């Protein structure tokens, strides 16, 4: 593990050594990176066949093309697995993704609109410049919140019976909590739960699925060797 003060060159040199080590099958670069290190350069430096995070441009391209030989980003893959195993009908569903980030929002949309099993949805991505986000949310059969705004989704933004997936991780002040703060998601869980048909808790919902899919990618990387 490198110190936070490590230079970009030091990190790239370490990745090169890990890329060349045949004993290692998967590489994960812990995010967020320090501000002086360019994420795009670092993620591109990981060999695609060891990129168990699914962030290398080759794997991103394979996701867009529907090529299953690549590694899918773990959080979107975990969400799709969670929906499928929960008996949620994705094919033909109206899906609204809140957030256009490269880690969750964009790959989530690309994954769910593919012409394949557990996909075939009609997907809308909403972001900070979207007009009338509430109207988009209220027509969603599946609402995936990944904006990074604490408790942004309120009960009146949820279509009755909709499936709500809360990806956000936000720390808010709470004098009653240990340390004076607590973690909340992007959804007002207490308000949205009575309206939603299914809803993920936060913390404890999407997070474990992300880890599970990381392990899945790592096993696949080892098997491919």
């Amino acid at each position: 593990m490198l110190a936070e003060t490590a230079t970009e060159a030091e990190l790239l040199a370490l990745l090169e050594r890990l890329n060349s080590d045949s004993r290692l099958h998967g590489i994960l670069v812990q995010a967020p990176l320090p501000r002086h290190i360019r994420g795009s350069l670092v993620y591109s430096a990981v060999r695609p066949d060891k990129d168990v995070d699914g962030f290398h441009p080759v794997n991103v391209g394979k996701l867009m093309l529907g090529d299953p030989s690549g590694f899918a980003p773990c959080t979107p893959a975990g969400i799709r697995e969670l929906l499928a195993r929960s008996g949620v009908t994705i094919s033909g569903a109206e899906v609204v993704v809140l957030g256009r980030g490269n880690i969750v929002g964009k790959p989530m949309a690309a994954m769910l609109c593919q012409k394949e099993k557990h996909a075939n949805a009609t997907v809308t991505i909403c972001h900070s410049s979207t007009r009338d986000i509430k109207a988009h949310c209220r027509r969603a059969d599946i609402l995936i919140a990944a904006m990074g705004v604490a408790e942004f989704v309120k009960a009146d933004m949820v279509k009755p019976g909709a499936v709500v997936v809360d990806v956000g991780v936000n720390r808010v002040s709470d004098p009653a909590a240990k340390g004076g703060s607590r973690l909340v998601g992007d959804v007002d869980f207490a308000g949205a739960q009575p309206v939603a048909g299914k809803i993920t808790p936060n913390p404890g919902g999407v997070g474990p699925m992300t880890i599970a899919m990381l392990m899945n990618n790592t096993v696949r990387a080892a098997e491919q060797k």
Side-chain angles (χ1 to χ4, degrees):
M1 180 178 293
L2 297 176
E4 186 176 348
T5 55
T7 66
E8 187 175 83
E10 288 175 321
L11 177 53
L12 292 174
L14 173 59
L15 290 175
E16 181 56 34
R17 292 197 298 274
L18 298 177
N19 281 334
S20 302
D21 192 336
S22 61
R23 299 170 300 172
L24 303 178
H25 301 112
I27 300 173
L28 178 150
V29 179
Q30 184 64 52
L33 290 166
R35 291 188 176 182
H36 64 279
I37 295 179
R38 292 168 290 177
S40 58
L41 184 64
V42 169
Y43 295 130
S44 297
V46 178
R47 268 177 44 173
D49 60 333
K50 292 189 176 186
D51 172 38
V52 292
D53 252 341
F55 294 158
H56 190 283
V58 167
N59 286 319
V60 173
K62 287 185 175 183
L63 173 64
M64 293 298 296
L65 294 171
D67 181 346
S69 68
F71 295 115
C74 300
T75 297
I79 292 170
R80 184 173 67 173
E81 190 74 14
L82 184 64
L83 293 172
R85 289 176 180 256
S86 299
V88 175
T89 300
I90 302 174
S91 181
E94 289 279 349
V95 177
V96 171
V97 179
L98 299 179
R100 54 182 167 184
N102 292 329
I103 294 177
V104 180
K106 289 178 184 176
M108 186 82 262
M111 196 174 289
L112 293 183
C113 73
Q114 296 294 333
K115 190 175 182 180
E116 61 186 32
K117 188 177 181 181
H118 304 315
N120 274 313
T122 300
V123 184
T124 300
I125 299 180
C126 294
H127 46 76
S128 57
S129 295
T130 299
R131 294 193 297 267
D132 200 354
I133 285 183
K134 182 184 291 187
H136 286 287
C137 291
R138 283 191 58 83
R139 64 178 176 77
D141 302 309
I142 302 171
L143 178 61
I144 301 172
M147 297 182 76
V149 180
E151 299 182 329
F152 176 86
V153 177
K154 305 298 184 185
D156 63 353
M157 299 172 69
V158 177
K159 176 182 177 180
V163 175
V164 179
V165 179
D166 189 355
V167 188
V169 180
N170 312 283
R171 187 169 294 279
V172 298
S173 177
D174 184 353
K178 184 178 179 180
S181 65
R182 58 187 173 88
L183 293 177
V184 299
D186 286 359
V187 178
D188 175 11
F189 184 87
Q193 184 181 26
V195 183
K198 297 178 186 290
I199 186 170
T200 62
N202 194 327
V206 172
M209 294 302 302
T210 299
I211 297 170
M213 300 315 293
L214 175 63
M215 295 299 99
N216 180 72
N217 281 351
T218 303
V219 170
R220 282 186 55 221
E223 290 175 342
Q224 289 172 8
K225 288 295 182 180

